[in-house]
């Protein structure tokens, strides 16, 4: 167990069709072939892990100019980042008592547009940026071709960054902090398990699991947001096993009710 604290940074919200979050959340029927869409907000957040071996920024959120042309119009319409301009990474860090210069390491669960938008603040620095090899490859493949996923914005991650590429299924670079590969949402999505002195074990799933029905009921994310359903289900079972083995708290990627419970952080 490590004596560390974790601050939760609210990085704004996205508005989207909730069918992206939970597959088939709203279905048409014979008597109601055109039901109202469940359209609402999801939170975007980052973590600052104040660890004895350094301060780790966990994900960097949406770009603050997402609606000013940084995001393509189609993505802005699908995942409307209405308050991104109010959430520059440096400002959100300052509100939590940190500066960009206080960040010793960056960890990216993956490189989708609502998770990698603050990497520009580390352009040209020697701050190590951890990301899985499969994620880095898939992000460039997607952004540079018509294949892969449309949810990558090249300008988010195509910087002069000190990439530290994760290659294994599980890697530990800090005491009692383990980076664990959870493919499914993307091929390189990586979560984090932390064993805290006072709070016990926490498993941060990232976007492998968006909301509670994904976890408790095993309902996948909306089809366009699952790279591989078989891999997604295997990762789901791994997370459930980690919860059982370590009596862990499991933290999901975009669940508003849970976010309200965790926004005070740990430690």
């Amino acid at each position: 167990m490590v004596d560390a604290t974790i601050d939760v940074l609210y990085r704004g919200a996205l508005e989207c069709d909730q069918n992206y979050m939970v597959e088939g959340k709203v279905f048409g029927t014979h008597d109601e072939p055109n039901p109202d869409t469940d359209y609402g907000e999801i939170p975007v957040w980052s973590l600052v892990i104040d660890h004895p071996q350094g301060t780790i920024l966990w994900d960097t959120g949406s770009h603050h100019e997402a609606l000013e042309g940084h995001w393509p119009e189609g993505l802005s319409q699908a995942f409307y980042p209405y308050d991104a301009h109010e959430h520059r990474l440096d400002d959100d860090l300052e509100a939590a008592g940190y500066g960009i210069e206080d960040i010793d390491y960056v960890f990216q669960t993956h490189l989708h547009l609502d998770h990698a938008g603050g990497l520009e603040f580390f352009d040209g620095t020697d701050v190590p940026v951890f990301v899985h090899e499969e994620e880095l490859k898939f992000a460039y493949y997607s952004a540079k071709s018509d294949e892969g996923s449309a949810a990558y914005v090249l300008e988010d991650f195509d910087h002069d960054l000190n990439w530290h590429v994760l290659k294994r299924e599980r890697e530990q670079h800090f005491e009692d902090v383990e980076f664990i590969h959870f493919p499914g949402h993307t091929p390189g999505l990586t979560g984090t398990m932390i064993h805290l002195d006072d709070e016990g074990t926490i498993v941060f799933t990232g976007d492998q699991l968006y909301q509670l029905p994904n976890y408790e009921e095993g309902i996948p994310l909306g089809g366009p947001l699952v790279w591989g359903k078989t891999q997604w289900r295997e990762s789901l079972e791994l997370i459930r096993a980690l919860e059982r083995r370590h009596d862990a708290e499991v933290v999901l990627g975009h669940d508003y009710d849970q976010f309200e419970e965790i926004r005070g952080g740990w430690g």
Side-chain angles (χ1 to χ4, degrees), residues 95-111:
Y98 299 92
I100 292 291
E101 67 279 2
D102 296 320
I103 301 302
D104 299 307
Y105 305 93
V106 174
F107 169 76
Q108 287 290 154
T109 58
H110 62 309
L111 297 172

Side-chain angles (χ1 to χ4, degrees), residues 143-220:
K144 289 284 196 176
S145 75
D146 293 330
E147 304 295 330
S149 166
Y152 294 100
V153 173
L154 181 65
E155 291 75 17
D156 280 343
F157 54 85
D158 192 28
H159 297 296
D160 177 15
L161 297 169
N162 182 17
W163 295 111
H164 278 222
V165 180
L166 306 170
K167 298 178 182 294
R168 299 187 295 276
E169 294 303 299
R170 300 175 72 153
E171 296 192 23
Q172 185 168 319
H173 295 264
F174 307 94
E175 180 188 358
D176 285 315
V177 177
E178 191 172 7
F179 300 143
I180 305 177
H181 188 206
F182 293 145
H185 175 53
T186 71
L189 191 136
T190 306
T192 306
M193 182 165 64
I194 304 179
H195 307 288
L196 295 175
D197 269 353
D198 296 329
E199 308 279 354
T201 298
I202 307 169
V203 177
F204 294 100
T205 72
D207 281 6
Q208 165 60 18
L209 300 169
Y210 282 150
Q211 296 181 348
L212 206 56
N214 305 138
Y215 189 49
E216 290 191 342
E217 302 172 43
I219 303 174

Side-chain angles (χ1 to χ4, degrees), residues 21-22 205 208-221 232-233 236-237 239-240 243-244 250 252 255 257-258 261:
M21 300 294 103
V22 178
T205 72
Q208 165 60 18
L209 300 169
Y210 282 150
Q211 296 181 348
L212 206 56
N214 305 138
Y215 189 49
E216 290 191 342
E217 302 172 43
I219 303 174
L221 319 180
W232 183 88
R233 194 156 298 281
L236 168 64
E237 293 309 319
I239 292 166
R240 287 173 169 169
E243 180 189 22
R244 292 191 301 269
V250 175
L252 314 173
D255 190 292
D257 290 339
Q258 187 186 60
E261 296 173 1

Side-chain angles (χ1 to χ4, degrees), residues 131-142:
V131 72
H132 200 280
E133 177 180 30
E134 296 302 322
E135 186 63 22
L136 196 58
K137 289 177 179 178
F138 191 66
Y140 272 102
Y141 170 69
S142 298

